Amino acid sequence: MIPLSNPNISELEIQAVVDVLRSPSLSLGPKIPEFEAKISSYVGTKYAVAVANGTCALHLVLRALGIGKGDEVITTPYTFIASSNSILFVEAKPVFVDINPNDYNIDVNLIEKKITKKTKAILGVDVFGRMADWEKIQKIAKKHKLKVIEDSCEALGSAKAGTYGNAGVFGFYPNKQITCGEGGVIVTNDEKLARIARIERNQGRDYTTKSPHFQFVQHGYNYRLSDISSVILSKQMDRLNEMNRRRSEIAQMYFNLLANSGLKPSQNEPGVSWFVYTVELPKKIPANVKPKIIEDLKQEGVQAGNYFYPVHLQPFYKKKLGCKRGMYPVAEYVGDRTIALPFSSVMKDSEVKTVSEAFLKVVKKNGVQI
Ligand SMILES: *Cc1c(COP(=O)(O)O)cnc(C)c1O
């Protein structure tokens, strides 16, 4: 089976982990600030705060920005569920805005209609690695005095990803551009936000005090990242550009193989660091064909992904927020028709070919005229 994603772990990471395991510091040691320094310098922000995963990074940012009960946060329904789950963590309400059909990111022309007195922030997402229209989002935020949170969990390495908001967030699950199994980071230029996040990731302990005993100055969590994970990320950062180059090559290869098929394969663009590679099925095909194609691909030895089934159609969100089909038609249209193909920096050229051929065969078999 050609897997949907596949981490790129080399002997460098393996040896580095062994070295940490032989050291006295498995957590709260030197590897955490080392990784933080690397990623903040790469992204171009003053501060980075490493945490246990991308979801808790979003949670800490929302808390540090003072967003809470009764507040509304504007976001997209076409994303991984963590984006809006984190808004619910702080008892705020996710207010969805539909996406644009070109890059699947939040449709900035629809944002202002959704702003109310309760709106406190816009939480945008760089879906699949393509950047949202952050300049427009910043403009709207400035006009309405809103905070901006950039969920860049899928876009490490894309042009300026992580730098547009009050804070940006990256995640390091194994399908992301770099991974340590589970991990996340907050990047920001806001000293106060970084300090609060640092305190809250470690149970509320104030690390700045000179007091001889631990000072827990506020409520906090255990959202720490270990030195074992941090050192993996540190080594992955050294290889990020090389891995992203390969990802981009593979995206281009897919595009070349699928461009004349009548389907809509994602077009490789400069400045995009791809998270997954998706193909959009044509408009005329019924929505129920996609699951069949994914199933048939499995028989061909290809693991394809259902990216993304919109958040507002998830059973919990229907119940919690009263969401229904029809509310965000573009997200639903795209959600019904996009299929993610196997994608990683360790894929071979021959595998890209095998997947493309299997995909075209299965698409045809399911009656899609191409
Ligand atoms: C991966 C991802 C996250 C964070 O996920 P974790 O599994 O908690 O690290 C958040 N938002 C988006 C859009 C993601 O793709």
Side-chain angles (χ1 to χ4, degrees):
M1 184 74 90
I2 301 179
L4 181 57
S5 72
N6 203 351
N8 185 336
I9 300 292
S10 73
E11 283 306 312
L12 273 175
E13 287 86 344
I14 293 167
Q15 193 50 54
V17 166
V18 172
D19 292 345
V20 169
L21 290 175
R22 293 191 201 284
S23 83
S25 306
L26 303 193
S27 193
L28 292 176
K31 298 303 175 189
I32 302 164
E34 195 178 300
F35 163 64
E36 288 173 338
K38 264 188 204 174
I39 194 157
S40 59
S41 120
Y42 180 90
V43 170
T45 56
K46 280 192 197 148
Y47 310 100
V49 182
V51 290
N53 56 64
T55 310
C56 64
L58 287 168
H59 183 196
L60 290 186
V61 169
L62 286 157
R63 281 185 53 89
L65 292 173
I67 292 158
K69 202 168 188 157
D71 295 339
E72 293 178 356
V73 178
I74 286 176
T75 191
T76 166
Y78 192 75
T79 179
F80 180 55
I81 197 149
S83 312
S84 48
N85 271 353
S86 66
I87 298 169
L88 292 174
F89 282 1
V90 296
E91 296 182 79
K93 183 183 173 194
V95 173
F96 295 117
V97 166
D98 208 354
I99 57 170
N100 76 66
N102 306 316
D103 61 13
Y104 309 155
N105 280 316
I106 193 163
D107 186 338
V108 290
N109 297 315
L110 302 178
I111 292 177
E112 284 195 284
K113 276 184 244 165
K114 293 290 187 83
I115 294 174
T116 71
K117 283 201 183 78
K118 293 179 181 167
T119 310
K120 289 285 153 53
I122 302 171
L123 191 161
V125 181
D126 301 312
V127 165
F128 302 150
R130 278 189 293 221
M131 300 299 289
D133 185 351
W134 289 103
E135 268 138 43
K136 187 76 196 282
I137 292 172
Q138 282 175 329
K139 239 182 237 162
I140 296 168
K142 199 168 172 199
K143 181 170 155 200
H144 297 272
K145 298 193 170 59
L146 306 177
K147 308 287 188 196
V148 174
I149 302 151
E150 186 180 356
D151 181 347
S152 259
C153 284
E154 302 185 358
L156 181 61
S158 290
K160 288 181 154 185
T163 64
Y164 287 100
N166 295 78
V169 164
F170 295 103
F172 307 120
Y173 186 75
N175 58 0
K176 312 276 160 135
Q177 285 87 347
I178 67 169
T179 186
C180 58
E182 298 283 356
V185 74
I186 299 163
V187 290
T188 183
N189 289 318
D190 180 339
E191 192 272 334
K192 186 172 161 229
L193 190 153
R195 179 161 31 90
I196 295 172
R198 255 177 229 289
I199 289 171
E200 293 204 347
R201 79 173 164 185
N202 192 16
Q203 308 282 9
R205 184 176 146 195
D206 185 356
Y207 62 95
T208 63
T209 167
K210 300 274 183 291
S211 166
H213 58 88
F214 291 170
Q215 298 282 303
F216 293 94
V217 292
Q218 63 193 76
H219 188 211
Y221 305 83
N222 178 359
Y223 280 174
R224 296 185 306 259
L225 189 71
S226 75
D227 277 54
I228 303 164
S229 298
S230 298
V231 84
I232 300 174
L233 293 174
S234 214
K235 298 298 167 194
Q236 291 260 287
M237 281 307 293
D238 296 343
R239 301 173 54 231
L240 174 61
N241 285 341
E242 162 208 323
M243 293 192 289
N244 275 348
R245 258 199 305 279
R246 180 63 186 155
R247 288 169 92 93
S248 171
E249 243 172 53
I250 289 167
Q252 187 63 51
M253 237 183 283
Y254 269 134
F255 183 78
N256 294 345
L257 288 161
L258 300 170
N260 297 321
S261 62
L263 309 173
K264 205 170 136 193
S266 298
Q267 184 146 13
N268 194 25
E269 294 156 33
V272 175
S273 158
W274 292 99
F275 163 57
V276 294
Y277 188 83
T278 62
V279 181
E280 193 182 301
L281 300 170
K283 190 171 184 170
K284 58 190 175 221
I285 77 134
N288 63 358
V289 171
K290 168 167 142 168
K292 284 194 206 131
I293 291 176
I294 294 176
E295 198 46 46
D296 286 350
L297 275 170
K298 218 187 275 169
Q299 305 305 315
E300 299 284 329
V302 173
Q303 189 189 20
N306 187 0
Y307 284 62
F308 276 118
Y309 189 73
V311 175
H312 71 281
L313 298 181
Q314 296 294 348
F316 172 67
Y317 277 81
K318 285 184 171 169
K319 200 164 70 190
K320 173 92 185 164
L321 300 176
C323 298
K324 287 186 192 68
R325 194 168 260 278
M327 289 176 110
Y328 309 101
V330 183
E332 291 162 16
Y333 173 86
V334 173
D336 285 340
R337 284 172 183 80
T338 42
I339 293 181
L341 299 179
F343 188 66
S344 74
S345 57
V346 296
M347 262 185 107
K348 298 192 192 85
D349 291 9
S350 60
E351 289 176 313
V352 181
K353 255 184 136 168
T354 305
V355 171
S356 301
E357 281 161 15
F359 184 55
L360 292 174
K361 176 177 151 192
V362 162
V363 160
K364 238 182 233 164
K365 184 184 149 210
N366 280 280
V368 181
Q369 300 294 318
I370 52 175

